[in-house]
Amino acid sequence: MKKSNTLYIFCFVLLSVYFGSINKANSQTLNLQNIATIKIDQLSDEQIADFWNKAQSNGIGITELEAETKKRKMSGLEFEKLKERINNLSITSKTKSNITTSLRKVNENSNEFKETTENDNYKNFGSELFNNKNLTFEPNLKIATPQNYQLGPDDELIIDIYGYSEESMSLKISPDGNIRIPLAGIVQVSGLTIEQARMRITKSLSQIYDRINTGETKVNISLGNIRSIKVLIMGEVTMPGTYTLSSFSTVFNALYHSGGPSKNGSMRNIKVIRNNRVIANLDIYDFLMKGEAKGNIRLQDQDLIKISPFENKVEIKGEVKRNGYFEIQKNETLKDLITYAGGFTNEAFKEKIKVTRNTSKQKSVADIQNELINMFSPKSGDVYTVDKLLERFENRVQIKGAVFRPGVYALENNLTVTKLIEKAEGLTEDAFLTRAIIYRLKEDNSLMMLSVNLTDIKNNLATDIKLEREDIIQIASKLELKQSYGVIINGEVLKPGDYPYAQNMKIEDLIIAAGGFKETAALTRVEVSRRKFDIDKTVINSEIAIIKRFELNNELKENSNLKFELEPFDIVNIYAISGYEPQKNVTIEGEVLYPGNYTIERNNEKISDIIKRGGGLTASAFKDGIILLRKKNRDFSTTIVYQNKLKALRKQSKDSNSILDVFEEENSMYDIVGINVSKILKKPGSKEDLLLRDGDILKVPYEKQTVLVSGEVLYPIKVNINNANSLRGFVSNAGGFSSKALKRKSYIVYANGTVKATNNFLFFKFYPKVKPGCEIVIPKREVRKPVSVLEVTTIASTLTTLVFLIVSLSK
């Protein structure tokens, strides 16, 4: 019983830890104040999305966020996780709104918006006028007052009196239609034009200013602030209602503010009603097709705009320039519809247009011939389809290959193979005449092939073949029917390589084509190898190639040797003079008496020899820091292992002034060879004393008195060699190991490029010896990824299952 109770308590504790970790993760709220302490792996997508939306609303992008997280001490690893989670987020509601809708303001005093049509290529013809944010039809208020503009209440009149007397006044028209002129009294102006008002006001003012009648004083009337009017828009309109507009506004201005006709509204039957009487009819198609706006009159206060439902709407699609829905009036034909659709495209099949029409019970299909489109009357609901031209030719033939003008030609009456060749300017010289091929389509469009002997046709031994539609004649070239022939020249010529074979080609011809001999060419040793076609494969030592050897002269004059003619696929080898070798140079730099370039004298010249030729080391030379740089791919056995070590070490070192940086400068062209010059000079010619190679560089630095301590120490620094004796002592001079230091993997890079690591035995560490000019590198301990909620859940579930299994088995 006790065992059972203990087991249940254990399971309860596990589940408590599990649900506690989940609640902790869910309770975290990510913000800039706590961003350094939050674990990104424990946050949900909703929490990340909420944080990112708030950041964006405050004008913070990824770049600004990174700067802010660094400022708040968030780790680089956690920021990378956050950045990845943001990139993987689904589109936020703000982004969705930008993609699915395009909003614009309805009028100056409203916050209402409307969604524009997504598919601009397929819609009601004319709707783009009212969905285009670049087209507003706003009236120009900075022009001179139109002559037919009628004044009304709230208009402001500016009266200027000038000449013998001067006066200026701004008067607003009252709701009764009057203005009150000081000393002159009340003047009725509502309903008058500017010119009519000027005459009436001048007459009133002449009673005060008597010189107006003599012309010495003049009166000018202009319009100041204009009044607003209210217009009612109703019927099949996107947003019906009453709109407050400028008194200069026209019907188009009002329609734009209301969003224009709705899906069921007519573009061609828009009425303007004033005082219960229709005073204008607007057909938007007149404006779209002709640029005319006959019914686009200036509106007045309390005008009513009524948009009727469409009566006859049809659809046209296919090979016309404007696919969409169009309104057709009773007296219009299919030709008018095609005109509204922009006409046919270049690929349109104009001979026949298909129409799908609704009947009383079902649909019907009809074909309209081209000559009937002027008479055919569309009906509402019709769908017209203009097909594309067929991708085929009624009179095409082709000729390809060995003719002077291959290509496509017209199939004319009684066109034959011979006549088509004549049209193509005849056969080329390399034409293969005994067999040409005609590719022909059978009645079921499957392909058949006919062989033609052009020589027999030319000699009247065979009948000239009459061509048919889509025939293709292929005349091969003799050059194409055989393998491409070539010869090869290798060795001591200026331009070795492959060259085309030519009949009667000799060795001298090929050498001249290859630019002639190099100075190193051995003229007494020229070899030609030739293929064999009769190898006896039953004999183990049978000859598999024919080898010919020749002696040549510099002038390549004719002699018995050079009468030898080359054959296709021959290989000519020109060998170098025995014993010839160009000079090989090495460089010694730094602390020697005579630094510079030296030519290798003997094949067995070594490092000690070149130091001796350089006058020996100076008094300040640092023997333990001398390094040998060798051009890449010259001595793999010595350097390839070291190169791999260097790359690994460089990744762990952060000090830009480290020895590793110096080595890596040469790493692109040279390998670094670790050498011990002290041993070499002590015992010249020993195994340590390496042979020199062309291009070697020996770098002799000056005496080093410091040791660089880098990596995971509190303060990376160069330390005087006399300040400590051991690795731990030099680390103490750099502030000691950091909390992230991996002590057991510490290593030293010596000045000559060699590397030694710390040896570990049980609990003991044996650090390498510190020498002048070396670098002590303390690696960083690998950061372990924290256990995620999912991993905790998995472990808990596994343990719980295991416990219950043990309990079940123990019963």
Side-chain angles (χ1 to χ4, degrees), residues 606-625:
K606 297 189 174 185
I607 293 174
S608 58
D609 298 321
I610 203 67
I611 292 176
K612 185 177 180 181
R613 289 174 62 187
L617 303 178
T618 66
S620 58
F622 181 42
K623 291 182 184 179
D624 291 339

Side-chain angles (χ1 to χ4, degrees), residues 478-491:
K478 292 177 182 178
L479 300 178
E480 294 172 350
L481 296 177
K482 64 180 179 180
Q483 187 177 356
S484 178
Y485 290 163
V487 290
I488 300 173
I489 184 167
N490 299 321

Side-chain angles (χ1 to χ4, degrees), residues 748-787:
I748 293 180
V749 182
Y750 293 103
N752 65 352
T754 56
V755 181
K756 285 189 178 180
T758 301
N759 292 321
N760 298 277
F761 178 73
L762 297 178
F763 301 104
F764 302 100
K765 298 181 181 66
F766 299 95
Y767 296 109
K769 186 178 179 181
V770 180
K771 294 182 179 180
C774 71
E775 177 180 2
I776 299 172
V777 182
I778 311 300
K780 184 177 181 180
R781 187 188 301 114
E782 184 179 353
V783 179
R784 294 183 180 179
K785 183 180 178 183
V787 181

